[in-house]
Amino acid sequence: MAAGIFAIRRDWGGGAVAAALAALILGTLAAVAWQARGLSGLGPWDWRAVWFTLWQAMLSASLSALLAIPVARALARRRFPGRALLVTLLGAPFILPVIVAIMGLISVFGRNGVLNDAFRAFGLPEITIYGWQGVILAHVFFNLPLSVRLILQGWQSIPSERFRLAASLDFAPADIARHLERPMLRAVLPGVWLAVFLVCLTSFAVALTLGGGPRATTVELAIYQAFRFDFDLGRAAMLGLIQIALCLAAMSLARWIAIPAAFGAGLDQPDQLTGPRGWRRITDTLAITLAAVFLLWPMLAVTMRGLPRIPALPADVWDAALRSVVMALISAALAITLSLVLALSVARSKSRLIEAAGMLPLVASPLVLGTGLFILLRGTLAPQSLALPVTIAINAIMALPFGLRALIPAARDLRADYGRLADSLDMQGLARLRLLTLPRLARPIGFAGGLAAALAMGDLGVITLFPSDQPTLPLKLYQLMNSYRMADASACAVLLMAISFALFWLFDRGGRLA
């Protein structure tokens, strides 16, 4: 601890940013804790929301992880045209605005969706996407690609020499599953399950649009209702503390469940072995096909429905789009600056305290931080004036952990490869930043900026807490859906999706060209 504090003092720039970040996050959480009035302030419907949050998060995480296993296994052992593109598309839902994906799911599973139209044509009973089943369906849609990518990395981490040895010993598929695949899954699945569980635990837009009602209200939605409709800050604060406690408990539990696979190191040679033939080839093909249809169909449906109506969108939608782009660019610039300062500081000082400060946003959800900032700032500023600045700041802060994960390894490599040479040339300050740091870190900076811009562009969270006559594009889309203007909502969804992907591509491409 003393070494970490000394490193922070020596590297005052990163230490100052880390201290300010810790003060902001911990201060807002302290304000939430101070405002909370204890468990006695919660009613039976609040406890029902806690129970539903836990129940749906556990079920969503379990379904996402279990369904991802056959898909990841099929992708790991099969080679086919378009495989690389499909694996890349599996990462798209992470930067896809939540409200857009929900719009796509409604286009397929909604009352006037493709499936219900087909059911009505054949005289079958209709299905509904609203309620607990819609919340779980949407969470599986979002988190199945994430689970597949993480489990696929686990499969690819098994040294190819182990598979060659298994082939030389004439292992059957059941033997490979027992000795290679199951140990890997025991090591990987707890982390996958935890990641999805935390996402579902703090999900807001899904519950806001597809849930609601006493039987499908999450803690995050209950915080929003207590804040926005009842203006019961004590109740909202207590619910926020419960949510933080649930997240911390889940993170602690995962440490006890994971079991290292202990395969040992390999020679990093590519595996050219083919998967088993026969009926297993058929099941692999079916798993990949069903996953691709489930993930791509909603996006294709909303695109086909909304694309022709984009030119007819009203002027207020374009105003909201411009406002969102400006906010996303400011959030991305702020996130890049903070991430770069912290990453360079961690690379120089090797301080765990600075890195831990950058990871603090993972402790609380945006709604909890928004509630804390409102408690701290109320009485000094009008609520209407807080909406856009607070949204920009929290979006930048919430993108910090992802930016640091991309920048810290690259910053350490930069320090190890060029640090002594730059020091011997007395290259400092802006000259070092312009001639060495920015050119060498352009790729991770571009990726981090694109991720921050895309996430900020599609955010529907903090902005809903504050009354504002200047809605962002996601909030405008939500308002159109609530007004049952589904044609305009589809066009707005396509516009939001296009801008989000364009921002990510521009930042990421700019980093690659630098």
Side-chain angles (χ1 to χ4, degrees), residues 67 71 144 283-297:
L67 293 176
V71 181
L144 178 62
T283 57
D284 287 349
T285 303
L286 186 62
I288 294 173
T289 302
L290 291 177
V293 170
F294 176 63
L295 296 173
L296 300 180
W297 189 11

Side-chain angles (χ1 to χ4, degrees), residues 96-120:
L96 184 70
V98 176
I99 191 68
V100 174
I102 292 171
M103 190 69 206
L105 291 173
I106 292 175
S107 299
V108 176
F109 300 97
R111 182 175 303 171
N112 297 317
V114 178
L115 283 183
N116 275 328
D117 288 344
F119 289 163
R120 281 192 292 267

Side-chain angles (χ1 to χ4, degrees), residues 387-403:
L388 299 185
V390 169
T391 301
I392 291 172
I394 291 184
N395 282 334
I397 290 172
M398 298 307 295
L400 265 181
F402 306 106

Side-chain angles (χ1 to χ4, degrees), residues 18-299:
L21 186 63
L24 176 62
I25 295 177
L26 297 179
T28 54
L29 296 182
V32 169
W34 179 264
Q35 188 69 36
R37 58 189 183 210
L39 298 178
S40 60
L42 301 181
W45 296 114
D46 296 318
W47 290 112
R48 183 184 290 270
V50 173
W51 165 246
F52 176 75
T53 300
L54 287 171
W55 174 77
Q56 64 83 21
M58 288 188 290
L59 182 57
S60 299
S62 300
L63 287 175
S64 299
L66 291 176
L67 293 176
I69 292 175
V71 181
R73 179 174 55 194
L75 289 172
R77 64 188 186 183
R78 303 296 174 189
R79 298 295 181 268
F80 54 89
R83 177 184 177 275
L85 177 61
L86 179 60
V87 173
T88 301
L89 289 176
L90 289 177
F94 188 74
I95 61 173
L96 184 70
V98 176
I99 191 68
V100 174
I102 292 171
M103 190 69 206
L105 291 173
I106 292 175
S107 299
V108 176
F109 300 97
R111 182 175 303 171
N112 297 317
V114 178
L115 283 183
N116 275 328
D117 288 344
F119 289 163
R120 281 192 292 267
F122 288 98
L124 298 175
E126 299 180 16
I127 60 174
T128 178
I129 195 176
Y130 298 100
W132 64 268
Q133 62 272 28
V135 173
I136 293 174
L137 175 68
H139 282 159
V140 173
F141 174 83
F142 281 112
N143 297 299
L144 178 62
L146 173 64
S147 303
V148 171
R149 290 292 297 268
L150 293 175
I151 296 175
L152 180 60
Q153 290 177 8
W155 243 288
Q156 294 171 341
S157 69
I158 301 176
S160 59
E161 292 80 10
R162 305 298 180 270
F163 288 106
R164 292 190 175 90
L165 178 61
S168 68
L169 296 175
D170 199 22
F171 270 25
D175 298 321
I176 294 176
R178 177 184 177 186
H179 295 286
L180 294 179
E181 295 176 341
R182 290 176 190 170
M184 178 274 297
L185 290 175
R186 283 199 302 268
V188 171
L189 277 181
V192 173
W193 190 91
L194 173 65
V196 177
F197 180 80
L198 291 175
V199 170
C200 298
L201 201 67
T202 58
S203 174
F204 172 68
V206 170
L208 179 66
T209 52
L210 299 179
R215 294 187 178 182
T217 297
T218 61
V219 173
E220 193 91 342
L221 186 55
I223 294 172
Y224 165 74
Q225 292 170 345
F227 185 102
R228 191 73 171 84
F229 298 120
D230 302 331
F231 199 68
D232 190 342
L233 295 180
R235 181 164 145 253
M238 193 63 232
L239 288 168
L241 292 180
I242 290 177
Q243 186 183 71
I244 293 172
L246 293 176
C247 292
L248 293 176
M251 295 171 67
S252 301
L253 180 63
R255 294 178 177 269
W256 295 91
I257 298 177
I259 302 175
F263 287 122
L267 299 177
D268 294 330
Q269 296 180 359
D271 183 16
Q272 300 297 330
L273 299 179
T274 58
R277 301 179 183 276
W279 64 270
R280 289 183 177 86
R281 179 188 292 273
I282 298 176
T283 57
D284 287 349
T285 303
L286 186 62
I288 294 173
T289 302
L290 291 177
V293 170
F294 176 63
L295 296 173
L296 300 180
W297 189 11
M299 296 300 95

